[in-house]
Amino acid sequence: MANVAVVGSQWGDEGKGKIVDWLSSRADVVVRFQGGHNAGHTLVIDGVTYKLSLLPSGIVRKGKLSILGNGVVIDPWAFLKEIEIVRAKGVEISPKNLMIAENAPLILPIHGHIDRAIEEARGDKKIGTTGRGIGPAYQDKVARRGLRVCDLEHPEIVRDKLETLVAYNNALMRGFGWAEMSVDEIYDSLMGIADQILPYAGVVWKRLDEAKYNNEKILFEGAQGHMLDVDHGTYPYVTSSNIVAAQAAVGSGIGPKSIGYVLGITKAYTTRVGSGPFPTELLDATGDKIGEKGHEFGTVTGRKRRCGWFDAVLVRQAVKTGGIDGIALTKLDVLDGFDELKICVGYQLDGKEIDYFPASQVHQANVKPIYQTIKGWSKTTQGARKWADLPSSAIKYIKTIEELIGAPVTLLSTSPDRDDTILMQDPFFG
């Protein structure tokens, strides 16, 4: 038995929500360990669709404890609103089944304000941020001027910290020509909901240590994808946190040895939202067809996703730098009906062949994919629940991916329905 960390191995939107929900039926505790409400997980359970941004996917399962770790930045207003929306669909949510780390940083209205101002100032060089204040909140955390959940117990601390935080950010606002924000307004709004937030606050690291001692199974849920990691992704077109599985330990307060298995969620093709390099992007009818069949629109933003062929170089790099033990391959059914498929197996850069994705943004923008062509299949894979239900060409496609990325496919998803899943190896029980 092993605790499991689930991470995206591409640019996010790989279908983590369904897989985490599927795994959460085997877990006792589900933990979000990074990011904020810029994430988007869609779950379909018994015909009911749940769209989650901040809450862990385990929240829709009875008898599970859901946790937001210290690595998550929490917008308290978005937190309460999401609870209200999910409750309206019949899900019970209370401090009995939901805990937030007392040392988790808070996203304030001024963070979203400055986030949008900075993005607008970039002009045609936009990063593609959601404008929800994630980056500025992390910036204030690292600069040691941020507010944390535990501060809400002490109004005098809140006001004192706000004076410093708002003064800094308002100076930036003036520089961008945007309206400044009032300390009093933010303070009054924040303290007005403090009593609704504090009951959920707890000592997460201690609760997880107890879970480990009691042999409870813990599922660590990441947001976004490996190539959006602030260190290992397509910098600067990345998110503001670490996404790799090592962050599960740091972002929740548990030792790294407590994470026994890392599952990389991997789409059978590649997508990305927003700006930044994308070597296998298809700017043609094939790309449009993949997007239409895959319903490739962002859960949070509604933005159309860019689509392209599977990039084995990127995923192999995620496997190696992220410690991924096996992958869950999703959306295979979207590729049904293509006469042929292509897989990127290397790059050309300045006339040379390379087998990795370079760190330089100049080189990332200039690499050209080297493709291997695979025969497609006409028989549908949608809804398949057994390996024997798959056409031989689909099996060959999967086996080729395994060989190229250096990791086995342990789970195969063939539709958004949680039961349409083929299990080759149970990450919890082997």
Side-chain angles (χ1 to χ4, degrees), residues 294-306:
H295 306 291
E296 294 296 350
F297 296 91
T299 299
V300 172
T301 63
R303 290 183 291 183
K304 182 179 179 181
R305 297 178 186 137
R306 300 155 63 189

Side-chain angles (χ1 to χ4, degrees), residues 122-136:
R122 292 189 176 107
D124 60 0
K125 297 181 181 178
K126 289 179 171 59
I127 287 177
T129 172
T130 60
R132 299 191 171 204
I134 311 296

Side-chain angles (χ1 to χ4, degrees), residues 63-214:
K64 314 295 179 184
L65 174 63
S66 291
I67 290 177
L68 295 177
N70 57 276
V72 179
V73 282
I74 299 174
D75 181 322
W77 297 273
F79 173 75
L80 294 174
K81 183 178 180 180
E82 190 168 333
I83 287 176
E84 184 181 333
I85 291 171
V86 177
R87 274 180 178 160
K89 295 198 171 189
V91 178
E92 294 182 11
I93 302 176
S94 75
K96 291 181 180 179
N97 68 338
L98 177 61
M99 177 186 290
I100 56 179
E102 62 177 358
N103 54 336
L106 296 176
I107 300 176
L108 304 175
I110 199 166
H111 290 135
H113 200 49
I114 191 65
D115 198 358
R116 294 184 289 274
I118 293 172
E119 186 75 342
E120 182 182 273
R122 292 189 176 107
D124 60 0
K125 297 181 181 178
K126 289 179 171 59
I127 287 177
T129 172
T130 60
R132 299 191 171 204
I134 311 296
Y138 275 120
Q139 181 180 344
D140 279 342
K141 169 189 174 179
V142 174
R144 295 164 292 184
R145 57 175 168 262
L147 271 77
R148 305 193 297 175
V149 172
C150 56
D151 293 332
L152 297 178
E153 263 190 284
H154 310 284
E156 70 281 2
I157 293 293
V158 172
R159 180 170 285 279
D160 183 58
K161 285 189 172 184
L162 275 178
E163 294 282 355
T164 301
L165 185 152
V166 172
Y168 173 85
N169 285 283
N170 272 343
L172 295 176
M173 296 292 189
R174 289 193 295 274
F176 289 118
W178 279 49
E180 298 180 35
M181 298 196 75
S182 162
V183 171
D184 289 340
E185 287 183 11
I186 297 174
Y187 175 84
D188 291 343
S189 181
L190 188 57
M191 296 314 299
I193 61 170
D195 288 344
Q196 298 175 61
I197 299 295
L198 285 170
Y200 293 97
V203 187
V204 162
W205 69 264
K206 190 171 184 297
R207 177 63 182 87
L208 291 177
D209 186 63
E210 293 168 358
K212 185 174 66 171
Y213 180 81
N214 293 323

Side-chain angles (χ1 to χ4, degrees), residues 389-404:
D389 293 337
L390 299 174
S392 59
S393 294
I395 293 174
K396 182 178 179 181
Y397 183 74
I398 295 166
K399 291 297 183 182
T400 301
I401 285 175
E402 287 182 320
E403 184 178 342
L404 289 170

